[in-house]
Amino acid sequence: MKKTIAIIGGGPSASTLATLLARKGHKVGIFRTPHRPALIVGESLLPAIIPILKELGVEEKVSEFSVFKPGATICLDPHETLSFGFDLARTRMVYAYNVPRDKFDEAILEAAVDAGARLFSHRAEVMLDNKGKPALTPETLAAAEGFFNDGVDLLVDASGRTRLLPNLLNLPSEEGGRKDLALFSHQENVEMTDPGNIHVDRYSKGWGWRIPLPGRVSVGIVVSPKHLKQLGDTKEEQYDNFLRQEPKLRDYVKNAQRTTTVMSYTNYQWKSLKLYGEGWALVGDSAGFIDPIFSTGLYLAMYSAVQLAKAIDKGTPAAFEAYQRHHREELKSWQSIIDMWYEGTLFSLFRVGQKYKTSLLSRFLNPFVTKHVTRIFTGEIRSGSFSHKVLQFMTRYGLYKQDTSALVIN
Ligand SMILES: Cc1cc2nc3c(=O)[nH]c(=O)nc-3n(C[C@H](O)[C@H](O)[C@H](O)COP(=O)(O)OP(=O)(O)OC[C@H]3O[C@@H](n4cnc5c(N)ncnc54)[C@H](O)[C@@H]3O)c2cc1C
């Protein structure tokens, strides 16, 4: 049966869901805030997103305004840098893109409108109706000019970390252990090691990213707010002083000019325990966003939209339950790998591999482990897969009696 779906948010999860549902013949309206900042985080994609972009029919357009991304470069400390290409996974998912988010979001939203979804430039507001169910306010419905006059079958919250419905319904949730603050801006003339790669830098305090975009580089830092407070009163002071003080970073930006204001982000490492209920569902960051470290956000947001579109189209309670279970498992699985980054175990494993690389066992194991670990970081592997088991096995037994404290993220 065809349904009427109201989606709140004009970001990637909203647009992906809207496109897929409209193509199936459902009646879809999207509310998006009239003004969105030009500078938005979420600029580096994972290879696993490429099949979704292809399905939406936007990959070619995205490639025109983006930087081709063949892999990642990790600077563990000032003297130790490792680069890896996604081709080490030995699958078809060998590249991704670094994208200016404003153009990326517009491209996917355009696909939704082309597919037949109606777009309303209006900040949606929600309330509880007389049965205690979430609903759009009369003022929001009025902004849709009669589009929802016959009622809304499903209200989907794709409002990102605004989390309209989790807040309204006071949904049970889980938080991760990190309470970092992320600051970022765009700069020109930043030093890079490998063109196209995302660069992830481990610092004496926290970590950061350098993401190459056309004509500029996105430079972000993820640091404890306690430390940043000591560096100035405003976010610009804190950011600029951190860049000046952090030894290796200072060199990367020595000839750089910051060309934008500094944006700040908090309140992540959060996931809702309930992703749907009677007449409503959550998708993308509104369902949960764990951490920026492995650039998983956009992929998980759009992948959750693909899964939710299937559940809505099927329309059975079992389909919604499967969506919830599956997505929560994905988030949980990524959270455990992200914890390994902060605890220092992930790259201690790499160091152990390097230390013993001439041994017979390592010569056999290293290519095998590299292949499976790369597959995890392209995003193509689902939770509970063989590759995850390889990583778990190696961190348990490969790091036996090894000191991993040197790579902890402070
Ligand atoms: C510091 C940081 C760095 C990150 N880096 C990366 C990265 O490199 N790669 C990556 O893949 N991901 C990254 N992410 C995550 C990524 O930004 C998100 O996962 C992604 O944007 C989620 O998409 P979404 O559509 O769910 O939400 P969003 O992109 O947040 O979109 C939500 C939309 O809803 C709109 N909205 C909100 N309230 C309303 C309302 N009341 N009415 C109408 N519209 C509303 C908002 O304006 C927005 O347009 C990062 C996140 C953080 C915090």
Side-chain angles (χ1 to χ4, degrees):
M1 203 180 74
K2 299 305 167 203
K3 301 178 191 77
T4 302
I5 321 285
I7 304 177
I8 304 174
S13 62
S15 304
T16 304
L17 180 67
T19 305
L20 300 176
L21 290 175
R23 281 185 190 164
K24 290 271 183 189
H26 298 285
K27 185 176 175 188
V28 183
I30 310 172
F31 292 94
R32 71 144 177 194
T33 43
H35 306 292
R36 206 171 178 207
L39 209 59
I40 307 167
V41 276
E43 299 161 310
S44 199
L45 306 183
L46 291 186
I49 216 170
I50 301 296
I52 303 177
L53 299 185
K54 284 188 197 296
E55 187 178 352
L56 298 178
V58 296
E59 194 208 335
E60 200 183 325
K61 192 175 217 177
V62 168
S63 73
E64 284 163 12
F65 55 71
S66 304
V67 169
F68 185 81
K69 174 183 171 185
T73 301
I74 321 285
C75 304
L76 290 179
D77 69 33
H79 311 288
E80 190 177 9
T81 297
L82 68 122
S83 298
F84 73 91
F86 296 126
D87 55 354
L88 288 172
R90 288 191 252 150
T91 61
R92 280 178 300 137
M93 296 199 186
V94 293
Y95 69 93
Y97 298 101
N98 299 306
V99 299
R101 267 301 293 277
D102 50 349
K103 290 189 178 163
F104 182 75
D105 286 18
E106 280 308 314
I108 324 184
L109 192 58
E110 213 174 283
V113 172
D114 288 348
R118 274 284 295 278
L119 180 62
F120 305 105
S121 263
H122 183 85
R123 176 177 288 277
E125 283 177 25
V126 288
M127 60 175 204
L128 292 176
D129 68 12
N130 52 15
K131 291 184 187 138
K133 274 174 46 183
L136 295 167
T137 60
E139 198 230 346
T140 305
L141 286 170
E145 299 155 353
F147 188 77
F148 295 114
N149 274 0
D150 294 333
V152 172
D153 295 314
L154 190 77
L155 179 58
V156 179
D157 181 1
S159 67
R161 287 174 305 105
T162 306
R163 299 173 195 146
L164 275 184
L165 292 190
N167 290 336
L168 177 77
L169 298 169
N170 202 12
L171 294 178
S173 61
E174 257 173 19
E175 282 182 36
R178 303 287 300 197
K179 302 280 175 253
D180 296 322
L181 181 68
L183 298 176
F184 95 113
S185 78
H186 286 178
Q187 310 214 7
E188 286 171 7
N189 302 318
V190 175
E191 219 173 87
M192 303 295 276
T193 310
D194 301 294
N197 277 10
I198 183 174
H199 290 51
V200 173
D201 306 317
R202 189 180 156 273
Y203 298 134
S204 60
K205 296 267 185 309
W207 64 274
W209 71 76
R210 285 173 287 147
I211 298 174
L213 296 170
R216 61 205 189 276
V217 173
S218 166
V219 180
I221 57 173
V222 179
V223 185
S224 131
K226 222 181 193 169
H227 178 63
L228 285 173
K229 249 188 205 145
Q230 296 165 13
L231 300 180
D233 295 327
T234 65
K235 55 183 192 275
E236 279 78 14
E237 275 171 9
Q238 294 173 351
Y239 176 84
D240 290 340
N241 285 333
F242 186 92
L243 265 59
R244 265 183 230 124
Q245 285 180 12
E246 187 62 37
K248 192 72 183 176
L249 185 53
R250 193 168 51 207
D251 294 343
Y252 299 142
V253 297
K254 64 177 184 292
N255 298 318
Q257 296 87 42
R258 174 158 69 75
T259 54
T260 65
T261 56
V262 175
M263 302 292 284
S264 74
Y265 290 82
T266 50
N267 79 330
Y268 46 82
Q269 288 223 343
W270 178 95
K271 49 187 188 283
S272 176
L273 299 183
K274 256 180 102 45
L275 304 193
Y276 75 98
E278 204 191 329
W280 62 269
L282 312 179
V283 70
D285 275 16
S286 170
F289 173 65
I290 317 167
D291 198 89
I293 176 63
F294 296 128
S295 305
T296 49
L298 279 162
Y299 163 64
L300 287 172
M302 292 174 71
Y303 183 70
S304 69
V306 173
Q307 299 307 315
L308 181 60
K310 286 182 189 156
I312 294 172
D313 194 49
K314 263 194 169 167
T316 61
F320 280 94
E321 188 56 30
Y323 161 68
Q324 172 172 283
R325 190 179 55 248
H326 184 81
H327 193 55
R328 281 186 49 191
E329 272 166 17
E330 286 301 302
L331 292 175
K332 190 171 159 205
S333 164
W334 275 109
Q335 180 74 66
S336 69
I337 298 170
I338 285 162
D339 290 346
M340 288 165 68
W341 158 255
Y342 286 103
E343 287 158 6
T345 44
L346 190 60
F347 286 97
S348 295
L349 193 60
F350 164 78
R351 279 188 173 172
V352 170
Q354 289 300 298
K355 192 167 154 192
Y356 299 109
K357 69 179 174 201
T358 51
S359 77
L360 199 61
L361 184 64
S362 280
R363 272 189 286 170
F364 165 74
L365 266 183
N366 279 0
F368 174 80
V369 175
T370 303
K371 178 177 80 180
H372 285 284
V373 172
T374 310
R375 280 181 188 177
I376 294 175
F377 291 106
T378 60
E380 69 194 90
I381 294 294
R382 303 272 85 79
S383 58
S385 68
F386 179 69
S387 296
H388 281 99
K389 292 194 174 91
V390 170
L391 181 60
Q392 277 160 9
F393 180 87
M394 290 310 295
T395 37
R396 184 169 307 155
Y397 299 106
L399 291 176
Y400 182 63
K401 288 196 175 167
Q402 300 286 331
D403 180 12
T404 57
S405 60
L407 290 179
V408 164
I409 306 295
N410 294 310

